[in-house]
Amino acid sequence: MRKCLVVDDSKVIRKVARHILETLDFEVSEAQDGHEALVHCEAKAPDVVLLDWNMPVMSGIEFLRALGMADLEHRPKIVFCTTENGVAHIRTAIEAGADEYVMKPFDRETLQSKLQIVGMA
């Protein structure tokens, strides 16, 4: 079973994403900030990370940059999931290593299509 780590400081967003991902046959774990997500990935990297941009402790971009320097068995696919929709934000995310970008709010079909694009659906 594919594994997805949902990283968002909003418990509601994590719950909605978990529900959608479980219907797509993912095993889901959660982190509420980038630091918690990095610790999780260093212990056992998931197949894909659904990542928020704006979080306390460590933002999504900071997490992504730290992940790039981490010594991991395999690098998970990264799907940014955020309200930040400016071209500059998207470019920054892609340049930092994101594989795909989805806007909040999202639905099952949108998330599924993004996961297909990164080869995870």
Side-chain angles (χ1 to χ4, degrees):
M1 180 177 276
R2 296 160 302 176
K3 294 174 176 42
C4 181
L5 175 61
V6 177
V7 187
D8 201 299
D9 57 326
S10 167
K11 187 175 182 175
V12 171
I13 295 294
R14 292 194 313 267
K15 184 175 181 177
V16 168
R18 172 184 284 276
H19 174 73
I20 291 171
L21 289 160
E22 287 175 345
T23 69
L24 296 171
D25 295 324
F26 278 88
E27 181 181 312
V28 180
S29 52
E30 300 177 16
Q32 58 189 349
D33 61 57
H35 180 264
E36 190 178 322
L38 187 60
V39 169
H40 180 95
C41 288
E42 288 174 337
K44 180 121 172 85
D47 299 303
V48 63
V49 175
L50 190 61
L51 181 64
D52 185 25
W53 188 294
N54 297 308
M55 296 177 289
V57 183
M58 180 186 276
S59 72
I61 280 292
E62 291 169 331
F63 162 80
L64 196 50
R65 290 179 178 143
L67 186 70
M69 296 187 303
D71 184 25
L72 302 179
E73 208 173 289
H74 78 277
R75 184 190 177 279
K77 297 291 185 181
I78 307 293
V79 178
F80 251 109
C81 179
T82 182
T83 58
E84 301 292 348
N85 65 352
V87 173
H89 278 97
I90 295 170
R91 183 178 300 119
T92 298
I94 299 301
E95 288 172 355
D99 297 291
E100 194 51 70
Y101 205 94
V102 65
M103 295 302 303
K104 289 180 186 174
F106 55 88
D107 58 18
R108 185 182 192 279
E109 291 73 29
T110 303
L111 189 53
Q112 185 175 23
S113 78
K114 296 297 183 175
L115 290 168
Q116 285 173 337
I117 290 169
V118 299
M120 286 290 132

